[in-house]
Coordinates of all heavy atoms in Angstrom, one line a residue:
V116 N 13.9 -80.5 2.1 CA 12.6 -80.7 2.7 C 11.7 -81.3 1.7 O 10.9 -82.2 2.1 CB 12.0 -79.2 3.1 CG1 10.6 -79.4 3.6 CG2 12.9 -78.6 4.1
L117 N 11.7 -80.9 0.4 CA 10.9 -81.6 -0.6 C 11.1 -83.1 -0.7 O 10.2 -83.9 -0.8 CB 11.0 -80.9 -2.0 CG 10.1 -81.5 -3.1 CD1 8.6 -81.4 -2.7 CD2 10.4 -80.8 -4.4
E118 N 12.4 -83.5 -0.6 CA 12.7 -84.9 -0.7 C 12.1 -85.7 0.5 O 11.6 -86.7 0.3 CB 14.2 -85.1 -0.7 CG 14.8 -84.8 -2.1 CD 14.2 -85.5 -3.2 OE1 14.0 -86.8 -3.1 OE2 13.9 -84.9 -4.2
Q119 N 12.1 -85.0 1.7 CA 11.5 -85.7 2.9 C 10.0 -85.8 2.6 O 9.4 -86.9 3.0 CB 11.8 -84.9 4.1 CG 13.2 -84.9 4.5 CD 13.5 -84.0 5.7 OE1 12.7 -83.1 6.0 NE2 14.6 -84.2 6.3
L120 N 9.4 -84.8 2.1 CA 7.9 -84.9 1.9 C 7.6 -85.9 0.8 O 6.6 -86.7 0.9 CB 7.4 -83.5 1.4 CG 7.4 -82.5 2.4 CD1 7.0 -81.1 1.8 CD2 6.4 -82.8 3.6
K121 N 8.4 -86.1 -0.2 CA 8.3 -87.1 -1.3 C 8.4 -88.5 -0.6 O 7.6 -89.3 -0.9 CB 9.3 -86.9 -2.4 CG 9.0 -85.8 -3.4 CD 9.9 -85.8 -4.5 CE 9.4 -84.9 -5.7 NZ 10.3 -85.0 -6.8
E122 N 9.4 -88.6 0.3 CA 9.6 -89.9 0.9 C 8.3 -90.3 1.7 O 7.9 -91.4 1.7 CB 10.8 -89.9 1.7 CG 12.1 -89.9 1.0 CD 13.3 -89.9 1.9 OE1 13.3 -90.3 3.0 OE2 14.4 -89.4 1.4
K123 N 7.8 -89.4 2.4 CA 6.6 -89.6 3.2 C 5.5 -89.9 2.4 O 4.6 -90.8 2.7 CB 6.3 -88.4 4.1 CG 7.2 -88.2 5.3 CD 6.9 -87.1 6.2 CE 7.8 -86.9 7.3 NZ 7.5 -85.8 8.2
A124 N 5.3 -89.2 1.3 CA 4.2 -89.4 0.4 C 4.2 -90.9 -0.3 O 3.2 -91.6 -0.3 CB 4.1 -88.4 -0.7
L125 N 5.4 -91.2 -0.6 CA 5.6 -92.6 -1.2 C 5.3 -93.7 -0.2 O 4.6 -94.7 -0.5 CB 7.1 -92.7 -1.7 CG 7.4 -92.0 -3.0 CD1 9.0 -92.0 -3.2 CD2 6.7 -92.5 -4.2
K126 N 5.7 -93.5 1.0 CA 5.5 -94.4 2.1 C 4.0 -94.5 2.3 O 3.5 -95.7 2.5 CB 6.2 -94.1 3.4 CG 6.1 -95.0 4.5 CD 7.0 -94.7 5.7 CE 6.8 -95.7 6.8 NZ 7.7 -95.4 7.9
R127 N 3.3 -93.4 2.4 CA 1.9 -93.4 2.7 C 1.1 -94.1 1.5 O 0.2 -94.8 1.7 CB 1.4 -91.9 2.8 CG -0.1 -91.8 3.0 CD -0.6 -90.3 3.1 NE -0.2 -89.7 1.9 CZ 0.3 -88.4 1.8 NH1 0.6 -87.8 2.9 NH2 0.6 -87.9 0.7
A128 N 1.6 -93.9 0.3 CA 0.9 -94.5 -0.9 C 1.3 -96.0 -1.1 O 0.7 -96.6 -1.8 CB 1.3 -93.7 -2.1
G129 N 2.4 -96.4 -0.4 CA 2.9 -97.8 -0.6 C 3.5 -98.0 -1.9 O 3.5 -99.0 -2.5
L130 N 4.2 -96.9 -2.4 CA 4.9 -96.9 -3.6 C 6.3 -96.7 -3.5 O 6.8 -96.0 -2.5 CB 4.2 -95.9 -4.6 CG 2.8 -96.2 -5.0 CD1 2.2 -94.9 -5.7 CD2 2.6 -97.4 -5.8
K131 N 7.1 -97.0 -4.5 CA 8.5 -96.6 -4.7 C 8.5 -95.5 -5.8 O 7.7 -95.4 -6.6 CB 9.4 -97.7 -5.1 CG 9.5 -98.8 -4.0 CD 10.4 -99.9 -4.5 CE 10.3 -101.1 -3.5 NZ 11.1 -102.2 -3.9
E132 N 9.6 -94.7 -5.7 CA 9.6 -93.5 -6.8 C 9.6 -94.2 -8.1 O 9.1 -93.6 -9.1 CB 10.9 -92.7 -6.5 CG 10.9 -91.5 -7.5 CD 11.8 -90.4 -7.1 OE1 12.7 -90.6 -6.3 OE2 11.6 -89.3 -7.6
E133 N 10.3 -95.4 -8.3 CA 10.3 -96.0 -9.6 C 8.9 -96.3 -10.1 O 8.6 -96.2 -11.3 CB 11.2 -97.3 -9.6 CG 12.6 -97.1 -9.3 CD 12.9 -96.9 -7.8 OE1 12.1 -97.4 -6.9 OE2 13.9 -96.2 -7.5
D134 N 8.0 -96.8 -9.1 CA 6.6 -97.0 -9.5 C 5.9 -95.8 -10.1 O 5.2 -95.8 -11.1 CB 5.9 -97.5 -8.3 CG 6.4 -98.8 -7.7 OD1 7.0 -99.6 -8.5 OD2 6.3 -99.0 -6.5
V135 N 6.1 -94.6 -9.4 CA 5.5 -93.4 -9.8 C 6.0 -93.0 -11.1 O 5.3 -92.6 -12.0 CB 5.8 -92.3 -8.7 CG1 5.2 -91.0 -9.2 CG2 5.1 -92.6 -7.4
L136 N 7.3 -93.1 -11.3 CA 8.0 -92.7 -12.6 C 7.5 -93.6 -13.7 O 7.3 -93.1 -14.8 CB 9.5 -92.7 -12.5 CG 10.1 -91.7 -11.5 CD1 11.6 -91.9 -11.4 CD2 9.7 -90.2 -11.9
Q137 N 7.3 -94.9 -13.4 CA 6.7 -95.7 -14.4 C 5.3 -95.3 -14.8 O 5.0 -95.3 -16.0 CB 6.7 -97.2 -14.0 CG 6.1 -98.1 -15.0 CD 6.1 -99.6 -14.5 OE1 6.7 -99.9 -13.4 NE2 5.4 -100.4 -15.1
R138 N 4.5 -94.9 -13.9 CA 3.1 -94.5 -14.2 C 3.1 -93.2 -14.9 O 2.3 -92.9 -15.8 CB 2.3 -94.3 -12.8 CG 2.1 -95.6 -12.0 CD 1.2 -96.6 -12.7 NE -0.1 -96.1 -12.7 CZ -1.1 -96.6 -13.4 NH1 -1.0 -97.7 -14.1 NH2 -2.3 -96.0 -13.4
V139 N 4.1 -92.3 -14.6 CA 4.2 -91.0 -15.3 C 4.6 -91.3 -16.8 O 4.0 -90.8 -17.7 CB 5.3 -90.2 -14.7 CG1 5.7 -89.0 -15.6 CG2 4.9 -89.6 -13.3
Q140 N 5.4 -92.3 -17.0 CA 5.8 -92.7 -18.4 C 4.6 -93.3 -19.1 O 4.3 -93.0 -20.3 CB 7.0 -93.7 -18.4 CG 7.4 -94.0 -19.8 CD 7.9 -92.7 -20.6 OE1 8.7 -92.0 -20.1 NE2 7.4 -92.5 -21.8
E141 N 3.8 -94.1 -18.4 CA 2.6 -94.7 -19.0 C 1.6 -93.6 -19.4 O 1.0 -93.7 -20.4 CB 1.9 -95.7 -18.0 CG 2.6 -97.0 -17.8 CD 2.1 -97.8 -16.7 OE1 0.9 -97.6 -16.3 OE2 2.7 -98.7 -16.2
R142 N 1.5 -92.6 -18.5 CA 0.6 -91.5 -18.8 C 1.1 -90.7 -20.0 O 0.3 -90.3 -20.9 CB 0.4 -90.7 -17.6 CG -0.5 -89.5 -17.8 CD -0.8 -88.7 -16.5 NE -1.6 -87.5 -16.8 CZ -1.0 -86.4 -17.1 NH1 0.3 -86.2 -17.1 NH2 -1.8 -85.4 -17.4
T143 N 2.4 -90.5 -20.1 CA 3.0 -89.7 -21.2 C 2.7 -90.5 -22.5 O 2.3 -89.9 -23.5 CB 4.5 -89.5 -21.0 OG1 4.7 -88.8 -19.8 CG2 5.2 -88.8 -22.1
D144 N 2.9 -91.8 -22.5 CA 2.7 -92.6 -23.7 C 1.1 -92.5 -24.1 O 0.8 -92.4 -25.3 CB 3.1 -94.0 -23.5 CG 4.6 -94.2 -23.3 OD1 5.3 -93.3 -23.7 OD2 5.0 -95.2 -22.8
A145 N 0.3 -92.6 -23.1 CA -1.1 -92.5 -23.3 C -1.5 -91.2 -23.9 O -2.3 -91.1 -25.0 CB -2.0 -92.8 -22.1
R146 N -1.0 -90.1 -23.5 CA -1.2 -88.8 -24.0 C -0.8 -88.7 -25.5 O -1.4 -88.1 -26.3 CB -0.6 -87.7 -23.1 CG -1.3 -87.6 -21.8 CD -0.6 -86.6 -20.9 NE -0.9 -85.2 -21.4 CZ -0.1 -84.2 -21.1 NH1 0.9 -84.3 -20.3 NH2 -0.4 -83.0 -21.6
K147 N 0.5 -89.2 -25.7 CA 1.0 -89.2 -27.1 C 0.1 -90.0 -28.0 O 0.0 -89.6 -29.2 CB 2.4 -89.8 -27.1 CG 3.5 -88.9 -26.6 CD 4.8 -89.5 -26.7 CE 5.8 -88.7 -26.0 NZ 7.2 -89.3 -26.0
N148 N -0.5 -91.0 -27.6 CA -1.4 -91.8 -28.4 C -2.9 -91.4 -28.3 O -3.7 -92.1 -28.8 CB -1.3 -93.3 -27.9 CG 0.0 -94.0 -28.2 OD1 0.7 -93.6 -29.1 ND2 0.5 -94.8 -27.3
K149 N -3.1 -90.2 -27.7 CA -4.4 -89.6 -27.6 C -5.4 -90.5 -26.9 O -6.6 -90.5 -27.1 CB -5.0 -89.2 -29.0 CG -4.0 -88.1 -29.7 CD -4.6 -87.7 -30.9 CE -3.6 -86.7 -31.5 NZ -4.1 -86.1 -32.7
E150 N -4.8 -91.2 -25.9 CA -5.7 -92.1 -25.0 C -6.0 -91.2 -23.8 O -5.5 -91.6 -22.7 CB -5.0 -93.4 -24.7 CG -4.7 -94.3 -25.9 CD -3.8 -95.4 -25.6 OE1 -3.4 -95.7 -24.4 OE2 -3.4 -96.1 -26.6
Y151 N -6.8 -90.3 -23.9 CA -7.0 -89.3 -22.8 C -7.7 -89.9 -21.6 O -7.4 -89.5 -20.4 CB -7.7 -88.0 -23.4 CG -6.8 -87.4 -24.5 CD1 -7.3 -87.2 -25.7 CD2 -5.6 -86.9 -24.1 CE1 -6.5 -86.7 -26.7 CE2 -4.8 -86.3 -25.1 CZ -5.3 -86.2 -26.4 OH -4.5 -85.6 -27.3
E152 N -8.6 -90.8 -21.8 CA -9.3 -91.4 -20.7 C -8.3 -92.2 -19.8 O -8.3 -92.1 -18.6 CB -10.4 -92.3 -21.1 CG -11.6 -91.6 -21.6 CD -12.7 -92.5 -22.0 OE1 -12.9 -93.6 -21.5 OE2 -13.6 -92.1 -22.9
R153 N -7.4 -92.9 -20.4 CA -6.4 -93.7 -19.8 C -5.4 -92.7 -19.1 O -5.1 -92.9 -17.9 CB -5.6 -94.6 -20.7 CG -4.5 -95.4 -20.1 CD -3.9 -96.4 -21.1 NE -2.9 -97.1 -20.4 CZ -1.6 -97.0 -20.9 NH1 -1.3 -96.4 -22.1 NH2 -0.7 -97.7 -20.3
S154 N -5.1 -91.6 -19.7 CA -4.2 -90.6 -19.1 C -4.8 -90.0 -17.9 O -4.1 -89.9 -16.8 CB -3.9 -89.5 -20.2 OG -3.3 -88.4 -19.6
D155 N -6.1 -89.7 -18.0 CA -6.8 -89.1 -16.8 C -6.9 -90.1 -15.7 O -6.9 -89.8 -14.5 CB -8.2 -88.6 -17.2 CG -8.1 -87.4 -18.1 OD1 -7.1 -86.7 -18.3 OD2 -9.1 -87.1 -18.8
A156 N -7.2 -91.4 -16.0 CA -7.3 -92.4 -15.0 C -6.0 -92.6 -14.2 O -6.1 -92.7 -13.0 CB -7.8 -93.7 -15.7
I157 N -4.9 -92.5 -14.9 CA -3.6 -92.6 -14.2 C -3.4 -91.5 -13.3 O -3.0 -91.6 -12.1 CB -2.4 -92.8 -15.2 CG1 -2.5 -94.1 -16.0 CG2 -1.1 -92.6 -14.5 CD1 -1.6 -94.1 -17.2
R158 N -3.7 -90.3 -13.7 CA -3.6 -89.1 -12.9 C -4.4 -89.2 -11.6 O -4.0 -89.0 -10.5 CB -3.9 -87.8 -13.7 CG -3.9 -86.5 -12.8 CD -4.4 -85.4 -13.5 NE -3.6 -84.9 -14.5 CZ -2.6 -83.9 -14.4 NH1 -2.3 -83.5 -13.2 NH2 -1.9 -83.5 -15.4
K159 N -5.7 -89.7 -11.9 CA -6.6 -89.8 -10.8 C -6.2 -90.8 -9.8 O -6.3 -90.7 -8.6 CB -8.0 -90.1 -11.3 CG -9.1 -90.0 -10.3 CD -10.5 -90.2 -10.9 CE -11.5 -90.1 -9.8 NZ -12.9 -90.1 -10.3
D160 N -5.7 -92.0 -10.3 CA -5.3 -93.1 -9.4 C -4.1 -92.6 -8.5 O -4.1 -92.9 -7.3 CB -4.9 -94.3 -10.2 CG -5.9 -95.0 -10.9 OD1 -7.1 -94.8 -10.5 OD2 -5.6 -95.8 -11.8
L161 N -3.2 -91.8 -9.1 CA -2.1 -91.3 -8.2 C -2.6 -90.3 -7.3 O -2.2 -90.2 -6.1 CB -1.0 -90.8 -9.1 CG -0.2 -91.8 -9.9 CD1 0.7 -91.2 -10.9 CD2 0.6 -92.7 -9.0
A162 N -3.5 -89.4 -7.7 CA -4.1 -88.4 -6.8 C -4.8 -89.0 -5.6 O -4.7 -88.5 -4.5 CB -5.1 -87.4 -7.6
K163 N -5.4 -90.1 -5.8 CA -6.1 -90.8 -4.8 C -5.2 -91.2 -3.6 O -5.6 -91.2 -2.4 CB -6.8 -92.1 -5.2 CG -8.0 -91.9 -6.0 CD -8.6 -93.2 -6.5 CE -9.8 -93.0 -7.4 NZ -10.3 -94.3 -7.9
V164 N -3.9 -91.5 -3.9 CA -3.0 -91.9 -2.9 C -2.0 -90.8 -2.5 O -1.0 -91.0 -1.8 CB -2.1 -93.1 -3.3 CG1 -3.1 -94.3 -3.4 CG2 -1.4 -92.9 -4.6
G165 N -2.3 -89.5 -3.0 CA -1.5 -88.3 -2.6 C -0.3 -88.1 -3.4 O 0.7 -87.4 -3.0
I166 N -0.4 -88.4 -4.7 CA 0.7 -88.0 -5.7 C 0.1 -87.2 -6.7 O -0.8 -87.6 -7.5 CB 1.3 -89.3 -6.3 CG1 1.9 -90.3 -5.3 CG2 2.4 -89.0 -7.3 CD1 3.0 -89.9 -4.5
A167 N 0.5 -85.9 -6.8 CA 0.0 -85.0 -7.8 C 1.0 -84.9 -9.0 O 2.2 -84.9 -8.8 CB -0.1 -83.6 -7.2
L168 N 0.5 -85.0 -10.2 CA 1.3 -84.8 -11.4 C 1.2 -83.4 -11.9 O 0.2 -82.8 -12.0 CB 0.8 -85.8 -12.5 CG 0.8 -87.3 -12.1 CD1 0.4 -88.1 -13.3 CD2 2.3 -87.7 -11.7
M169 N 2.4 -82.9 -12.3 CA 2.5 -81.5 -12.7 C 3.1 -81.5 -14.2 O 4.2 -82.0 -14.4 CB 3.5 -80.7 -11.8 CG 3.2 -80.9 -10.3 SD 1.6 -80.4 -9.8 CE 1.7 -78.7 -10.1
D170 N 2.3 -81.0 -15.1 CA 2.8 -81.0 -16.5 C 3.4 -79.7 -16.8 O 2.9 -78.6 -16.4 CB 1.6 -81.3 -17.4 CG 0.9 -82.6 -17.2 OD1 1.7 -83.6 -17.1 OD2 -0.3 -82.7 -17.3
S171 N 4.5 -79.7 -17.6 CA 5.1 -78.5 -18.1 C 5.7 -78.8 -19.5 O 5.7 -80.0 -19.9 CB 6.3 -78.2 -17.1 OG 7.4 -79.0 -17.3
P172 N 6.2 -77.8 -20.2 CA 6.8 -78.1 -21.5 C 8.0 -79.0 -21.4 O 8.2 -79.7 -22.4 CB 7.2 -76.7 -21.9 CG 6.3 -75.7 -21.2 CD 6.1 -76.4 -19.9
E173 N 8.6 -79.1 -20.3 CA 9.8 -80.0 -20.1 C 9.4 -81.4 -19.8 O 10.2 -82.3 -19.8 CB 10.7 -79.5 -19.1 CG 11.4 -78.2 -19.4 CD 10.6 -77.0 -19.2 OE1 9.7 -77.0 -18.2 OE2 10.7 -76.0 -20.0
G174 N 8.1 -81.6 -19.5 CA 7.7 -83.0 -19.2 C 6.8 -82.9 -17.9 O 6.4 -82.0 -17.4
T175 N 6.5 -84.2 -17.4 CA 5.7 -84.3 -16.2 C 6.5 -84.7 -15.0 O 7.4 -85.6 -15.1 CB 4.6 -85.4 -16.5 OG1 3.9 -85.1 -17.6 CG2 3.7 -85.6 -15.3
T176 N 6.3 -84.0 -13.9 CA 6.9 -84.3 -12.7 C 5.8 -84.6 -11.6 O 4.7 -84.4 -11.9 CB 7.9 -83.2 -12.2 OG1 7.0 -82.0 -12.1 CG2 9.0 -82.9 -13.2
W177 N 6.3 -85.1 -10.5 CA 5.3 -85.4 -9.4 C 5.7 -84.7 -8.2 O 6.9 -84.3 -8.0 CB 5.1 -86.9 -9.2 CG 6.3 -87.5 -8.6 CD1 7.5 -88.0 -9.1 CD2 6.5 -87.8 -7.2 NE1 8.3 -88.5 -8.2 CE2 7.7 -88.5 -7.0 CE3 5.6 -87.6 -6.0 CZ2 8.1 -88.9 -5.7 CZ3 6.1 -88.0 -4.8 CH2 7.3 -88.6 -4.6
R178 N 4.7 -84.5 -7.3 CA 4.9 -83.9 -6.0 C 4.0 -84.5 -5.0 O 2.9 -85.0 -5.4 CB 4.8 -82.3 -6.0 CG 3.4 -81.8 -6.3 CD 3.4 -80.4 -6.1 NE 2.0 -79.8 -6.5 CZ 1.0 -79.9 -5.7 NH1 1.0 -80.4 -4.6 NH2 -0.2 -79.4 -6.1
P179 N 4.3 -84.4 -3.8 CA 3.3 -84.9 -2.7 C 2.1 -84.0 -2.7 O 2.2 -82.8 -2.9 CB 4.1 -84.8 -1.4 CG 5.5 -84.5 -1.8 CD 5.5 -84.0 -3.1
A180 N 1.0 -84.7 -2.4 CA -0.3 -83.9 -2.3 C -1.2 -84.6 -1.2 O -0.9 -85.7 -0.8 CB -1.0 -83.9 -3.6
I181 N -2.2 -83.9 -0.8 CA -3.2 -84.5 0.1 C -4.0 -85.6 -0.6 O -4.5 -85.2 -1.7 CB -4.1 -83.5 0.8 CG1 -3.3 -82.5 1.5 CG2 -5.1 -84.1 1.6 CD1 -4.0 -81.3 2.0
P182 N -4.1 -86.8 -0.2 CA -4.8 -87.8 -0.9 C -6.3 -87.3 -1.1 O -6.8 -86.6 -0.2 CB -4.8 -89.0 0.0 CG -3.6 -88.8 0.8 CD -3.4 -87.4 1.0
L183 N -6.9 -87.6 -2.2 CA -8.2 -87.1 -2.5 C -9.2 -87.4 -1.4 O -10.0 -86.6 -1.1 CB -8.7 -87.8 -3.8 CG -8.1 -87.3 -5.1 CD1 -8.7 -88.0 -6.3 CD2 -8.2 -85.8 -5.2
A184 N -9.2 -88.6 -0.7 CA -10.1 -89.0 0.3 C -10.0 -88.1 1.5 O -11.0 -87.9 2.3 CB -9.9 -90.4 0.7
L185 N -8.9 -87.4 1.7 CA -8.7 -86.6 2.8 C -9.0 -85.1 2.6 O -8.9 -84.3 3.5 CB -7.3 -86.7 3.4 CG -6.9 -88.1 3.9 CD1 -5.4 -88.2 4.3 CD2 -7.8 -88.6 5.0
Q186 N -9.1 -84.7 1.3 CA -9.3 -83.3 0.9 C -10.8 -83.0 1.2 O -11.7 -83.8 1.1 CB -9.1 -83.2 -0.6 CG -7.7 -83.3 -0.9 CD -7.5 -83.0 -2.4 OE1 -8.3 -82.5 -3.1 NE2 -6.3 -83.3 -2.9
E187 N -11.0 -81.7 1.7 CA -12.3 -81.3 2.0 C -13.0 -80.9 0.7 O -12.3 -80.4 -0.2 CB -12.2 -80.1 2.9 CG -11.8 -80.4 4.3 CD -12.0 -79.3 5.3 OE1 -12.8 -78.4 5.0 OE2 -11.2 -79.3 6.2
P188 N -14.3 -81.3 0.5 CA -15.0 -80.9 -0.7 C -15.0 -79.4 -0.9 O -15.1 -78.7 0.0 CB -16.3 -81.5 -0.6 CG -16.5 -81.8 0.9 CD -15.1 -81.9 1.5
V189 N -14.9 -78.9 -2.1 CA -15.0 -77.6 -2.5 C -16.4 -77.3 -2.9 O -17.1 -77.9 -3.7 CB -14.1 -77.2 -3.7 CG1 -14.2 -75.8 -4.1 CG2 -12.7 -77.5 -3.4
T190 N -17.0 -76.3 -2.2 CA -18.4 -75.9 -2.5 C -18.4 -74.5 -3.1 O -17.6 -73.6 -2.7 CB -19.2 -75.9 -1.3 OG1 -18.7 -75.1 -0.3 CG2 -19.4 -77.3 -0.7
T191 N -19.3 -74.3 -4.0 CA -19.4 -73.0 -4.6 C -20.7 -72.4 -4.4 O -21.7 -73.2 -4.4 CB -19.1 -73.0 -6.1 OG1 -20.0 -73.9 -6.7 CG2 -17.7 -73.5 -6.4
T192 N -20.9 -71.2 -4.1 CA -22.2 -70.6 -3.9 C -22.4 -69.6 -5.0 O -21.5 -68.8 -5.4 CB -22.2 -69.9 -2.6 OG1 -21.2 -68.9 -2.4 CG2 -22.1 -70.9 -1.4
P193 N -23.6 -69.6 -5.6 CA -23.9 -68.7 -6.7 C -24.0 -67.3 -6.2 O -24.1 -66.9 -5.2 CB -25.3 -69.1 -7.2 CG -25.8 -70.2 -6.3 CD -24.7 -70.5 -5.3

């Protein structure tokens, strides 16, 4: 089921899995070089098209997500 969701997310984003993995590697390199603004920009660019990055001690993986433009804004009340 996850593979089907990943395929749909890639199609919606107009990307191939290789493209996402390349962006993950670019982000990993940016983090190693302490280029945090670049790292954050890569994460945000992917989130805009419905690709969420998940960091763990073993590395970064991706999963399908709702594109940022389609998410409802979160409001907080004091």
Side-chain angles (χ1 to χ4, degrees):
V116 174
L117 181 58
E118 285 303 315
Q119 292 173 341
L120 291 174
K121 282 186 168 188
E122 287 178 29
K123 287 181 181 182
L125 290 169
K126 185 175 180 177
R127 180 183 58 225
L130 298 170
K131 295 180 182 175
E132 185 165 18
E133 295 81 26
D134 300 328
V135 174
L136 296 176
Q137 179 180 349
R138 297 294 290 173
V139 167
Q140 185 59 52
E141 289 173 17
R142 181 173 172 271
T143 300
D144 294 343
R146 292 176 71 202
K147 285 180 185 175
N148 294 325
K149 298 184 181 185
E150 298 172 4
Y151 299 116
E152 285 184 28
R153 181 170 172 242
S154 169
D155 291 345
I157 292 169
R158 178 188 286 272
K159 188 173 182 179
D160 288 345
L161 290 172
K163 285 180 185 176
V164 296
I166 304 293
L168 299 183
M169 311 302 290
D170 296 321
S171 73
E173 291 80 34
T175 303
T176 57
W177 72 275
R178 66 171 176 80
I181 298 170
L183 288 180
L185 300 178
Q186 291 181 16
E187 293 189 24
V189 177
T190 57
T191 59
T192 55

